Amino acid sequence: MFSQSEKIPVSVLIPAKNEESNLPACLESVARADEVFVVDSQSSDRSIEISTNYGANVVQFHFNGRWPKKKNWSLDNLPFRNEWVLIVDCDERITPELWDEIATVIQDANYNGYYLNRRVFFLGQWIRYGGKYPDWNLRLFKHKSGRYENLNTEDIPNTGDNEVHEHVILNGKVGYLKNDMLHIDFRDIYHWLERHNRYSNWEARVYYNILTGNDESGTIGGNFFGDAVQRKRFLKKIWVKLPFKPLLRFILFYFIRLGFLDGKAGYIYGRLLSQYEYQIGVKLYELRRFGGKLNVNAHVNPAVKPSEPQPAEMIK
């Protein structure tokens, strides 16, 4: 066991862009790691300054608009000096108890990776019900053994340059840690809505790929008898074909999975998830109507002459 003052031989990877409000608490929580990389996407706020002040290695990622995205690029290119890598988003925190457990499990040669369970906080409250907990994510693994799957969504614009809902495909045995990772975003509801507007582009493409049979190559397949991720993928194939999904999602979250037990925060979260599901459905309709593309302007009838540009559009 490592003492509180000893560095644990783990390299932490933190993807970031304009995260000055979240980075201090995140970086403080990973101070026990032997090495920390913040992979930044040309932040315009104080993210870079904060990261360097905490002693992190800052690397700039320039997205080519397609593949790979930030995490896979980092796994392929960063000069990690440790065998184990821990991937932590800026709005996540690693507790002292979790660090103690990590220090122990990385010494077990039988495992190549571990799932971490997240506690999601919303409006300052842990969302314990509604199916948000447990929330298993494969974040700790031997970096040579795992890469994020490609779900064939890279042709959709405005989804961001970072893998968010993709999962790690790992070679080797995987375990589960007992202590939780915390997901606490210090930003407001505006940023939640902005982020999920991007996510709904990505989700719409995933739904479209499932419906068109373009969802299996190089991904974690669906299996009802598999692990948590495989079961989720299996159920998603059924979910995308159901009617009234926004209403169903609220009923599932708030009533069936007891989201009402989280009080006002649970109700608001459930309503937002229902709205999010509606956005996905509208964008899926757009994809199916315009041949798999979200940019409707690319399909304007060429026989129709566009209007003359207004003076403001010609200002340089």
Side-chain angles (χ1 to χ4, degrees):
M1 176 65 69
F2 295 85
S3 69
Q4 292 286 335
S5 60
E6 289 182 284
K7 295 292 186 179
I8 298 172
V10 169
S11 296
V12 171
L13 165 60
I14 302 175
K17 182 176 182 179
N18 295 331
E19 290 278 2
E20 64 179 5
S21 59
N22 283 317
L23 269 169
C26 177
L27 289 165
E28 287 175 10
S29 80
V30 299
R32 292 180 65 184
D34 171 65
E35 177 180 55
V36 178
F37 282 96
V38 173
V39 182
D40 182 69
S41 298
Q42 299 81 59
S43 289
S44 58
D45 63 1
R46 296 179 57 246
S47 292
I48 297 173
E49 175 189 348
I50 292 169
S51 299
T52 55
N53 286 344
Y54 276 89
N57 302 295
V58 178
V59 178
Q60 286 298 325
F61 172 65
H62 297 272
F63 187 40
N64 64 9
R66 297 188 65 80
W67 191 262
K69 288 193 173 185
K70 190 182 295 183
K71 291 175 184 174
N72 265 359
W73 178 90
S74 300
L75 291 168
D76 285 338
N77 291 281
L78 295 184
F80 298 118
R81 63 173 176 241
N82 300 293
E83 181 180 32
W84 288 87
V85 65
L86 173 64
I87 298 179
V88 183
D89 290 338
C90 293
D91 53 8
E92 294 172 341
R93 319 283 180 257
I94 306 300
T95 65
E97 296 79 13
L98 182 52
W99 271 122
D100 289 341
E101 187 177 6
I102 289 172
T104 300
V105 299
I106 61 173
Q107 300 178 63
D108 188 338
N110 294 318
Y111 289 85
N112 280 3
Y114 292 92
Y115 280 97
L116 277 64
N117 195 7
R118 292 196 311 174
R119 293 189 184 190
V120 175
F121 286 78
F122 178 74
L123 294 176
Q125 177 179 326
W126 175 22
I127 302 299
R128 186 171 183 174
Y129 300 97
K132 295 302 295 181
Y133 186 85
D135 181 20
W136 294 105
N137 292 263
L138 183 55
R139 297 295 193 85
L140 176 67
F141 55 93
K142 296 178 180 178
H143 67 84
K144 292 182 180 179
S145 300
R147 291 295 183 271
Y148 282 84
E149 61 186 341
N150 181 357
L151 292 175
N152 300 315
T153 61
E154 63 269 22
D155 60 332
I156 295 297
N158 301 319
T159 59
D161 65 355
N162 188 33
E163 298 92 340
V164 177
H165 301 290
E166 292 90 344
H167 292 277
V168 173
I169 298 177
L170 190 75
N171 295 319
K173 191 175 180 180
V174 182
Y176 292 79
L177 299 189
K178 297 178 181 178
N179 291 282
D180 293 343
M181 172 173 61
L182 308 182
H183 181 283
I184 307 172
D185 194 341
F186 288 154
R187 295 172 300 181
D188 55 20
I189 296 295
Y190 170 87
H191 289 93
W192 193 100
L193 293 169
E194 180 185 48
R195 186 167 68 249
H196 282 76
N197 187 33
R198 296 196 311 271
Y199 293 172
S200 61
N201 280 10
W202 184 92
E203 291 275 14
R205 168 55 83 180
V206 171
Y207 281 24
Y208 182 83
N209 289 345
I210 290 173
L211 292 172
T212 57
N214 188 31
D215 64 311
E216 287 295 346
S217 178
T219 70
I220 298 174
N223 182 357
F224 184 76
F225 300 102
D227 61 24
V229 175
Q230 291 174 314
R231 286 195 299 273
K232 187 175 181 180
R233 288 282 165 82
F234 176 85
L235 293 172
K236 197 161 198 172
K237 289 174 180 282
I238 300 173
W239 173 259
V240 298
K241 299 176 182 178
L242 296 178
F244 311 115
K245 283 189 286 294
L247 176 60
L248 288 176
R249 187 154 190 182
F250 180 78
I251 292 172
L252 183 64
F253 175 89
Y254 195 69
F255 295 106
I256 297 176
R257 292 181 171 174
L258 309 180
F260 64 87
L261 293 177
D262 285 318
K264 185 70 172 180
Y267 175 76
I268 295 172
Y269 200 89
R271 289 294 300 271
L272 288 175
L273 287 179
S274 177
Q275 175 182 318
Y276 176 55
E277 192 66 50
Y278 181 75
Q279 287 180 299
I280 296 169
V282 171
K283 292 176 181 181
L284 174 61
Y285 173 79
E286 184 181 23
L287 281 169
R288 301 181 78 174
R289 182 174 174 84
F290 294 104
K293 296 183 182 297
L294 287 179
N295 184 7
V296 179
N297 291 329
H299 302 273
V300 174
N301 187 343
V304 179
K305 184 178 178 180
S307 59
E308 293 296 325
Q310 298 299 311
E313 296 178 341
M314 294 186 282
I315 296 175
K316 295 182 179 179

PDB file of all heavy atoms in Angstrom, residues 30-46:
ATOM      1  N   VAL A  30      -6.576  14.442  -8.215  1.00  0.00           N
ATOM      2  CA  VAL A  30      -5.667  13.467  -8.833  1.00  0.00           C
ATOM      3  C   VAL A  30      -4.215  13.745  -8.448  1.00  0.00           C
ATOM      4  O   VAL A  30      -3.286  13.248  -9.097  1.00  0.00           O
ATOM      5  CB  VAL A  30      -5.816  13.443 -10.369  1.00  0.00           C
ATOM      6  CG1 VAL A  30      -7.230  13.047 -10.750  1.00  0.00           C
ATOM      7  CG2 VAL A  30      -5.445  14.786 -10.991  1.00  0.00           C
ATOM      8  N   ALA A  31      -4.006  14.505  -7.383  1.00  0.00           N
ATOM      9  CA  ALA A  31      -2.649  14.892  -6.978  1.00  0.00           C
ATOM     10  C   ALA A  31      -1.795  13.693  -6.586  1.00  0.00           C
ATOM     11  O   ALA A  31      -0.560  13.781  -6.602  1.00  0.00           O
ATOM     12  CB  ALA A  31      -2.716  15.885  -5.821  1.00  0.00           C
ATOM     13  N   ARG A  32      -2.399  12.580  -6.229  1.00  0.00           N
ATOM     14  CA  ARG A  32      -1.630  11.396  -5.818  1.00  0.00           C
ATOM     15  C   ARG A  32      -1.090  10.614  -7.011  1.00  0.00           C
ATOM     16  O   ARG A  32      -0.298   9.673  -6.835  1.00  0.00           O
ATOM     17  CB  ARG A  32      -2.482  10.490  -4.932  1.00  0.00           C
ATOM     18  CG  ARG A  32      -2.801  11.107  -3.574  1.00  0.00           C
ATOM     19  CD  ARG A  32      -3.654  10.183  -2.720  1.00  0.00           C
ATOM     20  NE  ARG A  32      -2.948   8.951  -2.357  1.00  0.00           N
ATOM     21  CZ  ARG A  32      -3.506   7.952  -1.679  1.00  0.00           C
ATOM     22  NH1 ARG A  32      -4.776   8.040  -1.307  1.00  0.00           N
ATOM     23  NH2 ARG A  32      -2.814   6.873  -1.377  1.00  0.00           N
ATOM     24  N   ALA A  33      -1.494  10.971  -8.210  1.00  0.00           N
ATOM     25  CA  ALA A  33      -0.999  10.275  -9.393  1.00  0.00           C
ATOM     26  C   ALA A  33       0.437  10.681  -9.687  1.00  0.00           C
ATOM     27  O   ALA A  33       0.840  11.825  -9.489  1.00  0.00           O
ATOM     28  CB  ALA A  33      -1.885  10.583 -10.597  1.00  0.00           C
ATOM     29  N   ASP A  34       1.197   9.730 -10.193  1.00  0.00           N
ATOM     30  CA  ASP A  34       2.594   9.988 -10.532  1.00  0.00           C
ATOM     31  C   ASP A  34       2.728  10.979 -11.682  1.00  0.00           C
ATOM     32  O   ASP A  34       3.722  11.713 -11.773  1.00  0.00           O
ATOM     33  CB  ASP A  34       3.265   8.661 -10.913  1.00  0.00           C
ATOM     34  CG  ASP A  34       4.648   8.848 -11.487  1.00  0.00           C
ATOM     35  OD1 ASP A  34       5.539   9.320 -10.760  1.00  0.00           O
ATOM     36  OD2 ASP A  34       4.848   8.534 -12.683  1.00  0.00           O
ATOM     37  N   GLU A  35       1.725  11.033 -12.544  1.00  0.00           N
ATOM     38  CA  GLU A  35       1.823  11.850 -13.761  1.00  0.00           C
ATOM     39  C   GLU A  35       0.420  12.256 -14.188  1.00  0.00           C
ATOM     40  O   GLU A  35      -0.514  11.456 -14.144  1.00  0.00           O
ATOM     41  CB  GLU A  35       2.500  11.019 -14.844  1.00  0.00           C
ATOM     42  CG  GLU A  35       2.622  11.662 -16.198  1.00  0.00           C
ATOM     43  CD  GLU A  35       3.309  10.729 -17.194  1.00  0.00           C
ATOM     44  OE1 GLU A  35       2.841   9.579 -17.367  1.00  0.00           O
ATOM     45  OE2 GLU A  35       4.318  11.152 -17.784  1.00  0.00           O
ATOM     46  N   VAL A  36       0.272  13.513 -14.622  1.00  0.00           N
ATOM     47  CA  VAL A  36      -1.025  14.012 -15.079  1.00  0.00           C
ATOM     48  C   VAL A  36      -0.847  14.723 -16.413  1.00  0.00           C
ATOM     49  O   VAL A  36       0.000  15.626 -16.550  1.00  0.00           O
ATOM     50  CB  VAL A  36      -1.656  14.988 -14.067  1.00  0.00           C
ATOM     51  CG1 VAL A  36      -2.986  15.536 -14.607  1.00  0.00           C
ATOM     52  CG2 VAL A  36      -1.873  14.302 -12.721  1.00  0.00           C
ATOM     53  N   PHE A  37      -1.632  14.330 -17.405  1.00  0.00           N
ATOM     54  CA  PHE A  37      -1.693  14.998 -18.699  1.00  0.00           C
ATOM     55  C   PHE A  37      -3.057  15.667 -18.846  1.00  0.00           C
ATOM     56  O   PHE A  37      -4.089  15.018 -18.664  1.00  0.00           O
ATOM     57  CB  PHE A  37      -1.517  14.005 -19.854  1.00  0.00           C
ATOM     58  CG  PHE A  37      -0.102  13.576 -20.101  1.00  0.00           C
ATOM     59  CD1 PHE A  37       0.372  12.393 -19.561  1.00  0.00           C
ATOM     60  CD2 PHE A  37       0.748  14.345 -20.892  1.00  0.00           C
ATOM     61  CE1 PHE A  37       1.670  11.987 -19.790  1.00  0.00           C
ATOM     62  CE2 PHE A  37       2.050  13.950 -21.126  1.00  0.00           C
ATOM     63  CZ  PHE A  37       2.520  12.761 -20.577  1.00  0.00           C
ATOM     64  N   VAL A  38      -3.062  16.944 -19.171  1.00  0.00           N
ATOM     65  CA  VAL A  38      -4.283  17.641 -19.579  1.00  0.00           C
ATOM     66  C   VAL A  38      -4.183  17.847 -21.083  1.00  0.00           C
ATOM     67  O   VAL A  38      -3.283  18.550 -21.563  1.00  0.00           O
ATOM     68  CB  VAL A  38      -4.448  18.994 -18.859  1.00  0.00           C
ATOM     69  CG1 VAL A  38      -5.636  19.759 -19.446  1.00  0.00           C
ATOM     70  CG2 VAL A  38      -4.642  18.783 -17.366  1.00  0.00           C
ATOM     71  N   VAL A  39      -5.076  17.209 -21.825  1.00  0.00           N
ATOM     72  CA  VAL A  39      -5.076  17.323 -23.278  1.00  0.00           C
ATOM     73  C   VAL A  39      -6.128  18.360 -23.648  1.00  0.00           C
ATOM     74  O   VAL A  39      -7.332  18.119 -23.522  1.00  0.00           O
ATOM     75  CB  VAL A  39      -5.351  15.967 -23.948  1.00  0.00           C
ATOM     76  CG1 VAL A  39      -5.293  16.105 -25.466  1.00  0.00           C
ATOM     77  CG2 VAL A  39      -4.329  14.936 -23.477  1.00  0.00           C
ATOM     78  N   ASP A  40      -5.666  19.513 -24.078  1.00  0.00           N
ATOM     79  CA  ASP A  40      -6.512  20.686 -24.259  1.00  0.00           C
ATOM     80  C   ASP A  40      -6.838  20.902 -25.740  1.00  0.00           C
ATOM     81  O   ASP A  40      -6.064  20.541 -26.623  1.00  0.00           O
ATOM     82  CB  ASP A  40      -5.791  21.916 -23.701  1.00  0.00           C
ATOM     83  CG  ASP A  40      -6.634  23.174 -23.798  1.00  0.00           C
ATOM     84  OD1 ASP A  40      -7.643  23.260 -23.076  1.00  0.00           O
ATOM     85  OD2 ASP A  40      -6.297  24.051 -24.611  1.00  0.00           O
ATOM     86  N   SER A  41      -7.992  21.503 -25.985  1.00  0.00           N
ATOM     87  CA  SER A  41      -8.425  21.817 -27.353  1.00  0.00           C
ATOM     88  C   SER A  41      -8.510  23.330 -27.532  1.00  0.00           C
ATOM     89  O   SER A  41      -9.595  23.893 -27.709  1.00  0.00           O
ATOM     90  CB  SER A  41      -9.768  21.158 -27.657  1.00  0.00           C
ATOM     91  OG  SER A  41      -9.675  19.759 -27.575  1.00  0.00           O
ATOM     92  N   GLN A  42      -7.369  23.991 -27.433  1.00  0.00           N
ATOM     93  CA  GLN A  42      -7.255  25.435 -27.660  1.00  0.00           C
ATOM     94  C   GLN A  42      -8.237  26.231 -26.798  1.00  0.00           C
ATOM     95  O   GLN A  42      -9.037  27.036 -27.312  1.00  0.00           O
ATOM     96  CB  GLN A  42      -7.456  25.780 -29.147  1.00  0.00           C
ATOM     97  CG  GLN A  42      -6.442  25.133 -30.083  1.00  0.00           C
ATOM     98  CD  GLN A  42      -6.767  23.697 -30.427  1.00  0.00           C
ATOM     99  OE1 GLN A  42      -7.845  23.417 -30.971  1.00  0.00           O
ATOM    100  NE2 GLN A  42      -5.875  22.773 -30.126  1.00  0.00           N
ATOM    101  N   SER A  43      -8.174  26.001 -25.504  1.00  0.00           N
ATOM    102  CA  SER A  43      -9.054  26.724 -24.584  1.00  0.00           C
ATOM    103  C   SER A  43      -8.811  28.220 -24.660  1.00  0.00           C
ATOM    104  O   SER A  43      -7.675  28.680 -24.811  1.00  0.00           O
ATOM    105  CB  SER A  43      -8.818  26.248 -23.147  1.00  0.00           C
ATOM    106  OG  SER A  43      -9.316  24.944 -22.955  1.00  0.00           O
ATOM    107  N   SER A  44      -9.891  28.987 -24.524  1.00  0.00           N
ATOM    108  CA  SER A  44      -9.799  30.450 -24.534  1.00  0.00           C
ATOM    109  C   SER A  44      -9.922  31.034 -23.132  1.00  0.00           C
ATOM    110  O   SER A  44      -9.848  32.254 -22.964  1.00  0.00           O
ATOM    111  CB  SER A  44     -10.886  31.040 -25.441  1.00  0.00           C
ATOM    112  OG  SER A  44     -12.177  30.632 -25.019  1.00  0.00           O
ATOM    113  N   ASP A  45     -10.110  30.183 -22.113  1.00  0.00           N
ATOM    114  CA  ASP A  45     -10.197  30.664 -20.739  1.00  0.00           C
ATOM    115  C   ASP A  45      -8.880  30.363 -20.027  1.00  0.00           C
ATOM    116  O   ASP A  45      -7.825  30.255 -20.657  1.00  0.00           O
ATOM    117  CB  ASP A  45     -11.401  30.040 -20.014  1.00  0.00           C
ATOM    118  CG  ASP A  45     -11.285  28.529 -19.879  1.00  0.00           C
ATOM    119  OD1 ASP A  45     -10.267  27.954 -20.320  1.00  0.00           O
ATOM    120  OD2 ASP A  45     -12.204  27.914 -19.310  1.00  0.00           O
ATOM    121  N   ARG A  46      -8.886  30.166 -18.719  1.00  0.00           N
ATOM    122  CA  ARG A  46      -7.668  29.974 -17.946  1.00  0.00           C
ATOM    123  C   ARG A  46      -7.309  28.490 -17.745  1.00  0.00           C
ATOM    124  O   ARG A  46      -6.509  28.161 -16.874  1.00  0.00           O
ATOM    125  CB  ARG A  46      -7.811  30.661 -16.575  1.00  0.00           C
ATOM    126  CG  ARG A  46      -7.964  32.163 -16.642  1.00  0.00           C
ATOM    127  CD  ARG A  46      -8.127  32.780 -15.249  1.00  0.00           C
ATOM    128  NE  ARG A  46      -7.011  32.435 -14.373  1.00  0.00           N
ATOM    129  CZ  ARG A  46      -7.134  31.665 -13.280  1.00  0.00           C
ATOM    130  NH1 ARG A  46      -8.323  31.142 -12.947  1.00  0.00           N
ATOM    131  NH2 ARG A  46      -6.084  31.402 -12.527  1.00  0.00           N
TER     132      ARG A  46
END
